[in-house]
Amino acid sequence: MTVCIESYKGNGNYCEIEITEGYTNNIYVVSVCPIIDDSLVGYPIRKATYPIIEKKKAMATYRRYIKTYCQETVEK
């Protein structure tokens, strides 16, 4: 079973953090996928997995992926 904890959509990408069942216990999965017309397209651009005890690292990766892939950057 997979449970989506948080998700963010922007700049043509969809970022999510979810808890899914691993072989022996639950794990966090953080991924970024391209979207077109509200549909996921292809394979994830980036994907990271963490054990359930490393929630802090998983959330940091999720926020970093949002900042890198989903938010518009303003050039100065």
Side-chain angles (χ1 to χ4, degrees):
M1 184 170 88
T2 301
V3 178
C4 182
I5 304 298
E6 287 186 40
S7 64
Y8 187 91
K9 182 171 43 171
N11 201 23
N13 291 313
Y14 178 77
C15 183
E16 70 178 350
I17 182 168
E18 58 189 25
I19 296 177
T20 189
E21 292 180 15
Y23 292 109
T24 58
N25 56 3
N26 294 333
I27 56 173
Y28 285 103
V29 178
V30 183
S31 61
V32 179
C33 296
I35 57 171
I36 296 175
D37 295 331
D38 293 332
S39 298
L40 298 177
V41 180
Y43 292 100
I45 299 169
R46 296 288 304 258
K47 186 174 182 179
T49 58
Y50 296 95
I52 201 72
I53 60 171
E54 293 186 349
K55 180 179 181 179
K56 201 173 194 181
K57 288 183 182 179
M59 291 302 291
T61 301
Y62 172 69
R63 287 189 298 270
R64 188 173 58 249
Y65 284 179
I66 288 174
K67 194 179 289 186
T68 304
Y69 295 102
C70 297
Q71 292 182 342
E72 300 264 345
T73 57
V74 178
E75 294 184 19
K76 294 181 180 181

